[in-house]
Amino acid sequence: MERYDVAIIGAGMSGIAAGIRLAHFGKKVCIFERHYASGGLNSFYAKDGRKYDVGLHAMTNFTGPGDRRAPLNRIIRQLRISREDLKLCEQRGSRVAFPGANLRFNNEFAYFESEIASVFPKQIDGFRKLVEAIRSFDDNEFNYAYRSAREMVRTCVSDPVLEDMIFCPLMYYGSSTEEDMDFGQFVIMFKSIFFEGFARPLEGIRNIIRLLLKRYRESGGIRKMNTGVAKIVTVANQVDRLILDSGEEVQADVVLSSAGLPETYALCSPQPKLEKPVSAGRLAFAETISIFKDQPKSFGWGDDTIVFFNARERFSYREASDLVDLTSGVICIPNNFQFGDEQMAEGVVRLTCLSNYDKWKSYGESEYAEQKELWRPRIWSAAKKFMPATGLGYDGACIAHDMFTPTTVERYTWRKQGAIYGAPQKSKDGTTPISNLFICGTDQGFLGIVGSMLSGIAMANTHALR
Ligand SMILES: Cc1cc2nc3c(=O)[nH]c(=O)nc-3n(C[C@H](O)[C@H](O)[C@H](O)COP(=O)(O)OP(=O)(O)OC[C@H]3O[C@@H](n4cnc5c(N)ncnc54)[C@H](O)[C@@H]3O)c2cc1C
């Protein structure tokens, strides 16, 4: 039976980052991935000859090289990759759009602060107090106690509209819990979006995945694709061996799983004894991707990179009661990053809304396809209200489109209920009741592209290198 120092379940961002770190330090490490493609929730695919990013709207946490402690710089250093090779281009500018109020922001925090002073002049002192609390929170500590972020924010900000406008982007880009979030997670997301900011490579996620895989290969890491882990067999609370989908068996001193917390426990045989049962997340999304022959600038949508919109009096972040909740969402226009002289060949508009896994799952194949066709224009109409008026006739101008639902996410990543941000319950220090089985990525609690890579690095350092 083949034996490794470390076996990693999943070739998503966290799994590959962990693998690079371990291989670099001479560990015999193998990543087992069930899909034929790497990248997990942030992969890419081809349809009708066109390449689509699965997830990428923007990479959060964009910072210059100066701040050594910034997450992006820690990743660059720990993975020994070059900033130039990431080819990151900054956003043009983004917006939180609510009925009657817009808050603009870019990668300079002072600009966001000035927007708050101008749109909510009575709240600026409270907002600055909140910023102080965020700055003084130690988010490098894994096991901080739960504290309601809503309650904490309300001690500083008394206007519920401003409160909701702050929460809307942070929840859409990184909350696995409905309506409220852990203050620690709030701090991580606030810093990653408002203190730091958005960037992406012109080529999209392909550039980053290629770079990471090259680094992993060069460090001597082994990667087995189309090779799912079917079972984690434990003896006396220790992983004894992994049984692969093919029936083959392998052994490892340490197992790092990025498959998710409930998903990993479901693989264990026998089932681990848990103090509290871990349930799969209920927050799932539907997304439409529309391709246009022309740049969005040509139809008046050239300024906004990402718009977080909400049409209700109070913003509600919870599982949709219908197939899609049209009252809030995210509009992402990948063309509107500062690519310099270059530009994407076609216009792309991505629209994301909260969705309902059970409802999509209840349909048979043809009804499912019909429902997608029904909801696509509805999502477009809901989002369009928050964009500059345009003479653009969508059906005439859109030359290609695709749409995914929570069932698509589940089908290609095996993430239960298609919950992109995983289970509400996290394993912040990565430990499980099995002594040599650890969690990395989404369900360790660090989300997004940068967050999951940081998680992979931190869990590899803590549980397999020290
Ligand atoms: C539509 C969408 C939009 C997003 N937009 C952004 C964005 O703009 N910016 C951003 O920063 N983040 C974004 N994200 C979130 C980001 O993609 C994720 O947080 C991050 O990629 C999670 O990485 P991970 O390694 O934790 O998990 P995953 O990417 O889920 O990796 C886990 C891997 O494990 C594999 N696996 C599962 N079970 C098994 C098994 N039994 N055996 C073997 N392999 C298995 C899966 O196939 C998968 O490849 C988005 C995600 C989606 C889906």
Side-chain angles (χ1 to χ4, degrees):
M1 198 185 308
E2 188 74 49
R3 188 171 183 97
Y4 301 96
D5 294 328
V6 186
I8 298 175
I9 305 179
M13 293 294 170
S14 64
I16 305 174
I20 293 174
R21 197 72 195 143
L22 295 164
H24 177 81
F25 284 101
K27 295 281 180 193
K28 184 181 177 191
V29 53
C30 183
I31 302 179
F32 297 94
E33 168 57 57
R34 185 171 271 153
H35 203 285
Y36 60 80
S38 298
L41 288 165
N42 238 307
S43 190
F44 60 93
Y45 61 99
K47 187 183 172 200
D48 301 329
R50 206 171 254 111
K51 289 197 175 103
Y52 292 85
D53 283 326
V54 169
L56 181 72
H57 281 191
M59 221 166 107
T60 55
N61 298 88
F62 181 82
T63 30
D67 181 357
R68 276 181 63 78
R69 283 173 55 84
L72 180 61
N73 293 328
R74 273 163 42 208
I75 288 174
I76 288 172
R77 216 168 42 245
Q78 297 253 335
L79 298 185
R80 291 162 172 82
I81 51 179
S82 93
R83 173 175 275 274
E84 287 66 41
D85 287 345
L86 283 169
K87 298 186 183 163
L88 292 174
C89 303
E90 293 188 61
Q91 65 168 320
R92 216 165 265 169
S94 294
R95 190 156 56 92
V96 188
F98 273 40
N102 277 290
L103 280 177
R104 292 175 196 282
F105 62 98
N106 56 21
N107 292 355
E108 297 296 328
F109 181 66
Y111 177 57
F112 184 52
E113 204 177 7
S114 74
E115 277 282 288
I116 293 191
S118 148
V119 182
F120 295 96
K122 291 189 184 137
Q123 298 291 317
I124 187 66
D125 291 341
F127 178 74
R128 288 191 176 127
K129 200 174 127 200
L130 174 66
V131 170
E132 274 317 300
I134 290 168
R135 286 195 199 280
S136 58
F137 186 90
D138 181 5
D139 56 2
N140 290 311
E141 183 57 51
F142 292 141
N143 267 337
Y144 48 78
Y146 177 87
R147 211 159 135 202
S148 156
R150 286 275 187 186
E151 279 173 25
M152 179 60 205
V153 170
R154 280 176 201 149
T155 63
C156 305
V157 169
S158 59
D159 187 325
V161 178
L162 176 58
E163 178 191 321
D164 283 355
M165 289 182 95
I166 295 170
F167 271 95
C168 177
L170 310 194
M171 291 184 138
Y172 259 107
Y173 272 9
S175 179
S176 61
T177 52
E178 295 181 320
E179 306 295 16
D180 198 356
M181 54 205 291
D182 188 338
F183 185 62
Q185 179 65 10
F186 174 90
V187 167
I188 291 171
M189 294 311 302
F190 190 100
K191 288 182 177 173
S192 73
I193 294 175
F194 294 134
F195 283 176
E196 296 169 351
F198 298 142
R200 69 166 263 153
L202 175 68
E203 212 192 339
I205 200 67
R206 292 187 288 286
N207 184 62
I208 298 172
I209 294 175
R210 217 171 27 227
L211 180 65
L212 295 178
L213 289 180
K214 180 168 174 275
R215 189 69 196 89
Y216 180 59
R217 216 173 28 247
E218 285 169 354
S219 308
I222 307 159
R223 182 169 52 109
K224 300 207 169 173
M225 306 303 288
N226 294 307
T227 308
V229 173
K231 223 176 240 186
I232 301 171
V233 180
T234 65
V235 174
N237 260 354
Q238 240 199 312
V239 178
D240 177 64
R241 62 196 191 279
L242 303 179
I243 304 182
L244 308 180
D245 288 343
S246 61
E248 190 192 337
E249 300 192 355
V250 297
Q251 287 187 308
D253 295 341
V254 172
V255 177
L256 273 182
S257 173
S258 66
L261 199 54
E263 293 83 355
T264 301
Y265 288 156
L267 293 174
C268 289
S269 174
Q271 287 290 292
K273 290 199 176 61
L274 303 173
E275 279 172 25
K276 269 199 290 185
V278 178
S279 49
R282 298 230 53 96
L283 285 161
F285 302 88
E287 178 160 308
T288 69
I289 306 168
S290 306
I291 310 292
F292 299 89
K293 193 161 72 56
D294 299 319
Q295 297 293 313
K297 193 164 75 172
S298 70
F299 46 82
W301 290 13
D303 292 333
D304 293 308
T305 305
I306 296 174
V307 178
F308 299 90
F309 68 89
N310 162 56
R312 290 196 210 183
E313 197 179 324
R314 291 303 307 260
F315 166 61
S316 177
Y317 181 79
R318 56 181 319 109
E319 182 185 33
S321 52
D322 209 336
L323 286 158
V324 180
D325 177 352
L326 297 172
T327 65
S328 72
V330 186
I331 303 162
C332 167
I333 306 181
N335 304 72
N336 294 342
F337 285 82
Q338 301 177 46
F339 296 128
D341 293 338
E342 294 180 280
Q343 186 45 275
M344 292 163 67
E346 297 174 317
V348 181
V349 178
R350 306 181 69 116
L351 306 174
T352 312
C353 289
L354 288 156
S355 189
N356 183 304
Y357 167 80
D358 292 332
K359 296 220 159 160
W360 285 107
K361 188 77 181 169
S362 69
Y363 289 117
E365 209 176 306
S366 65
E367 267 179 309
Y368 174 81
E370 275 168 30
Q371 289 297 326
K372 281 206 325 192
E373 280 309 297
L374 201 67
W375 282 92
R376 197 169 52 82
R378 288 181 185 168
I379 295 173
W380 180 261
S381 303
K384 216 173 127 183
K385 293 182 191 139
F386 293 89
M387 296 302 286
T390 172
L392 174 80
Y394 173 68
D395 285 334
C398 172
I399 54 170
H401 57 80
D402 201 12
M403 178 169 173
F404 73 75
T405 74
T407 58
T408 326
V409 173
E410 186 182 56
R411 182 162 157 217
Y412 290 107
T413 66
W414 296 274
R415 193 137 318 251
K416 280 182 194 277
Q417 299 178 163
I420 289 173
Y421 299 134
Q425 190 183 331
K426 304 295 183 195
S427 169
K428 288 179 191 163
D429 61 5
T431 58
T432 71
I434 316 294
S435 66
N436 58 342
L437 171 65
F438 302 98
I439 300 297
C440 68
T442 305
D443 279 348
Q444 182 263 321
F446 291 178
L447 301 164
I449 300 166
V450 169
S452 53
M453 283 198 269
L454 263 188
S455 168
I457 292 168
M459 294 302 104
N461 287 348
T462 310
H463 301 300
L465 286 176
R466 265 176 215 147

